[in-house]
Amino acid sequence: MASFRAPPRKGENFELSADLNSEYKDKRKDAIKRVIANMTVQKDVSGLFPDVLKNMQTDDLEQKKLVYLYLMNYAKTQPELVILAVNTFVKDTDDPNPLVRALAIRTMGCLRAEKIIDYLCDPLQKCLRDENPYVRKTAALCVAKLYDLKPELVVENGFIETLQEMIADSNPMVVANTVAALTDIHQAAVAAGSNADVFAITSTVLNKLLIALNECSEWGRVAILNALARFETEDDRESEHICERVVPQFQHANASVVLAAVKAKVQWVALRNINLLLQKRPDILSNEMRVFFCKYNDPLYVKVEKLDIMVRLAGESNVDALLSELKEYSSEVDVDFVRRSIKAIGQTAIKIDEAAERCVNVLLELIGTRVSYVVQEAVVVMKDIFRKYPSTYEGVIPTLCANLDELDEPEAKASLIWIIGEYANKIDNADELLGIFVDTFTEESYPVQLQTLTAVVKLFLRKPDTSQGLVQRILNTATKDCDSPDVRDRAYIYWRLLSTDPGAAKNVVLAHRPPISLPRTTVSPALLEELLGEVSSLASVYHKPAETFVGRGRVSAESIPRKAGDLADDQLVTQRALQTVVIGQQAENLLNFDDPADVDDQQPSGIAATAVLASTPAAANLLAGTSSNPLDDLVSIFGNSGMGSTSTPAPPQYQNAFAGLSFASPITPAPAAPITPSVLQAASPVQSQPQQAQDDLLGLF
């Protein structure tokens, strides 16, 4: 029996290929448009490269632009076929139409294909001296692109000297593009370690730039002003002359393009730069706080930036006006803005000691409104105030505890629990308040569980006679029923500390904490200086170096070489980490109570100990910056170190309290309890201990 097969189904690319080779011009142009449409939506049409290339020679400017766009997109994947387009490119650079000449030279510079670079030099030389300024300004930028690909080719053909001559061009746009190209080349040369000053701004060049400044577009003015910032004047007269020519630029505005929607973004950009300046000079606008008061129709991101600036400008002379304004903001309908306003009140209290009491009074008034999100944010802020001024505003605690039922957010709950645990000896019903959270322990979020666990242990250390059952219950729940390894590990540590060395437990859990303070800057001093030099660029808006979000050409930002200062900072951080390891090795290990108590008192410390530790391969790799996995190397240093410890018997006042808790009795751990041999592994038991029948807690591991 004869069998019949259906003909193979022809895909869309087959149809496009047929249309691209059609004898009808309109059909070919329509096919090119469809190819570009497919390319735009990420469809692979690279197989049509030869067919599209055949349509390159045409007098239709629109079709030629489409073909050039296709070539720029697929030249990297079809480098062999790009050579076929060279003759057409060279021919187009001699076209009578200046738009075609500029389009050809711009496309050749954007192809970024190694095999076509050598063919670019002659057409580029002609276009740099073209009679039409549009072609010249396009060719100037093409030189910068060529330098990015092959710097030696630019130097050999004298393109840099040609650009330096073009600064004297009669067309201001040519001057602006030439300045932009020379600036890019200068920055690339400096980054490559070249000592040659590619773009030296002399007095003659300065005058030419000042002449072109008022005649070019907005982007051209930015390029010229950035170049002028590099010029170092010789005397005051020359400085005054430059200022006179530059000051009118402060009033530059294009009302036809600045829309109402863009106005807020421009305001935000200005606020970001002002914020950066205030981090360096916090007193320059100390009398202008009212300028930054929020308006009802300001977008949220503008309001947030204004709040940050107002806190930076806050001082004894204007704090009353600031608190009045922030209190007003706290009654707005925007919940996020209200929270940030209340947080600003807390930051003001931390920054200005004399105004702390007034800030607390404002917070108490806000708590009295009984608005849920206001009360919860005020509780969070009060925790920070207690950390700044311990034992100062204890009279506020009853008011905070009275609003316990209003709290349903984890951060607010954790803050109030911290306050109760910190002042447990001054709160009569602290055990009842904490018992509420112990009852719902497994239902709470992990931050609330951690704070509850620590607060109950604090309560037990301060009131051991009245909180035995509570601490026993939470330790049992945390070690058996909790699914968070962080909470379980902390419970195990507390259990071991309380059962063997209450003195050490008290030193750890009730240790003195230094008061917090408001950071003066949000970036490092070195980065702040760098960002201040980049004002008017995106770096000063993002508060990040330009290399973190701008790559060079097709290269990603991650591949840019890091600065020497950053590498030195990393080495310093690594060395400090190793010193911390050494200190930990020499300190008492509260998790290992079976090791002998003999500790070598002659062990080196500080930098000397780091030098000894660097002899290990892992530490050497960390210090040299050649570690493939720094975390594993650091953990291996911990694992290879022996840890000695000593234990202290329970003081008499704790003996009766511990007797009823049965901390030493074995318990069944949760099945998912993590095993960490390098840190929590118990040492071999000492023969002199008589009570071997009672298993120690860490024996469970």
Side-chain angles (χ1 to χ4, degrees), residues 381-579:
V381 169
M382 282 304 306
K383 180 203 69 174
D384 293 334
I385 294 178
F386 279 122
R387 292 183 62 190
K388 172 66 175 179
Y389 309 102
S391 304
T392 303
Y393 301 104
E394 297 173 4
V396 181
I397 296 178
T399 304
L400 300 178
C401 295
N403 289 274
L404 180 62
D405 296 336
E406 299 287 341
L407 309 183
D408 56 12
E409 297 176 1
E411 187 178 7
K413 287 183 178 181
S415 299
L416 183 58
I417 292 170
W418 181 90
I419 295 173
I420 296 173
E422 193 70 14
Y423 295 92
N425 57 333
K426 299 181 181 180
I427 303 176
D428 296 335
N429 61 337
D431 53 344
E432 298 178 7
L433 296 174
L434 292 178
I436 297 174
F437 295 100
V438 174
D439 293 337
T440 60
F441 186 79
T442 55
E443 303 172 7
E444 301 289 352
S445 63
Y446 296 149
V448 176
Q449 290 180 354
L450 289 169
Q451 283 292 354
T452 304
L453 179 61
T454 302
V456 171
V457 173
K458 288 180 180 178
L459 173 65
F460 175 75
L461 291 174
R462 290 191 170 101
K463 299 179 179 179
D465 297 331
T466 60
S467 55
Q468 298 178 30
L470 191 64
V471 71
Q472 177 73 64
R473 186 150 57 99
I474 194 172
L475 288 177
N476 275 324
T477 304
T479 53
K480 294 180 180 180
D481 302 331
C482 183
D483 58 354
S484 169
D486 292 335
V487 178
R488 286 200 307 268
D489 289 350
R490 184 178 294 190
Y492 284 134
I493 292 173
Y494 285 158
W495 196 308
R496 184 62 180 271
L497 282 172
L498 293 173
S499 62
T500 56
D501 196 346
K506 201 166 187 177
N507 292 334
V508 171
V509 180
L510 302 180
H512 173 72
R513 284 169 293 277
I516 63 173
S517 59
L518 199 64
R520 179 179 175 183
T521 62
T522 58
V523 296
S524 63
L527 179 57
L528 179 60
E529 293 294 337
E530 179 182 347
L531 294 178
L532 289 175
E534 299 290 339
V535 171
S536 80
S537 69
L538 283 177
S540 65
V541 177
Y542 292 156
H543 292 188
K544 296 178 181 179
E547 58 265 22
T548 60
F549 57 87
V550 177
R552 294 196 54 80
R554 299 282 178 99
V555 184
S556 63
E558 288 79 3
S559 62
I560 299 176
R562 301 182 65 184
K563 296 183 179 180
D566 295 338
L567 296 176
D569 291 343
D570 286 351
Q571 291 178 355
L572 180 59
V573 171
T574 302
Q575 190 173 19
R576 288 178 177 174
L578 292 178
Q579 290 181 18

